[in-house]
Amino acid sequence: MSGRFGGDRAEITESYGDTTVDVAPADWIELLTYVRDDLGYAYFDWLTGVDDPPDAFVVVAHVYHPAAHERLLLRTRVPREHPHLPSAVGVYRGANWHERETYEMFGVIFDGHPHLVPLLLPDGFEGHPLRKDFILAARVAKPWPGAKEPGESGHGAPSRRKTLPPGVPADWGPPDA
C-alpha cells in the first residue's frame, strides 16, 4: 500500500486489529480500485458518512478479502462547503445504494453516480437528518419521554426547571410537557 500511495498520499493506521487507510478525495477511486484489483478486497461491505464538524464529512467504506478473511476500512474527508466525491459505483456496484443513502442523509454528492436520487425519506423532505446541525423537530413537537426529572411522572412531586431535549435550539421555547 505504501509503495503505491507513498507516505504523503495515504495514512495507514492499525486500531483494535483493523487496518484503516485515509486518503485525499482525489485518490479515492484509485484506492478503491487498487485494493480490489491488486490486493484482493473483492467484497464491498458498506459505505457511509460521518459528520465531523465544523468543516468536513468523512466518507467511510468497508471492504473484505474473502480468501484471507481480512477487513479494510477506507476513509476520505470532503469539505462541508463543497461535499463532492467521485462515485465508487464503477469500482464496486454494491456502492450504489450506500452512496444514495449517504447523499440523502448527509448531503455528500457522489459525482458520476448513475442515479443519485433520494432513497429512504418521504417526498419533499428538506434537509439531511444525520448531520449534527439538523434540528429534530419531533423532539419539540412531542414531550420528552420518561420521568427523568422530579415531578415529571405526574405524581405531584416538586418539579425542577424543565430543560429542552438534546438537539433542540434554545430559541424554540420551553417544552409543552
Side-chain angles (χ1 to χ4, degrees), residues 10-148:
E11 180 183 343
I12 303 168
T13 56
E14 293 279 334
S15 179
Y16 300 103
D18 289 332
T19 303
T20 303
V21 182
D22 290 284
V23 296
D27 292 327
W28 181 242
I29 297 301
E30 183 180 350
L31 173 65
L32 292 169
T33 305
Y34 175 68
V35 300
R36 183 196 65 190
D37 296 345
D38 296 348
L39 300 183
Y41 289 86
Y43 180 76
F44 176 85
D45 193 10
W46 51 262
L47 178 143
T48 191
V50 177
D51 192 353
D52 191 18
D55 60 349
F57 297 104
V58 179
V59 175
V60 184
H62 186 260
V63 294
Y64 185 73
H65 190 301
H69 305 287
E70 294 177 353
R71 306 182 295 251
L72 194 59
L73 199 62
L74 312 172
R75 298 187 300 199
T76 189
R77 294 175 59 85
V78 293
R80 184 177 290 275
E81 302 81 39
H82 189 70
H84 284 261
L85 188 66
S87 175
V89 173
V91 181
Y92 291 106
R93 285 189 302 170
N96 188 322
W97 189 94
H98 299 271
E99 287 183 352
R100 286 177 61 191
E101 180 187 37
T102 303
Y103 161 69
E104 188 172 31
M105 297 295 168
F106 292 96
V108 176
I109 299 164
F110 292 92
D111 297 322
H113 189 281
H115 191 61
L116 195 61
V117 297
L119 178 69
L120 301 170
L121 298 173
D123 291 338
F125 189 90
E126 293 183 21
H128 305 287
L130 291 184
R131 287 186 177 191
K132 291 182 180 174
D133 59 359
F134 185 80
I135 297 170
L136 298 174
R139 289 186 173 170
V140 175
K142 178 171 127 177
W144 189 247
K148 303 294 183 191

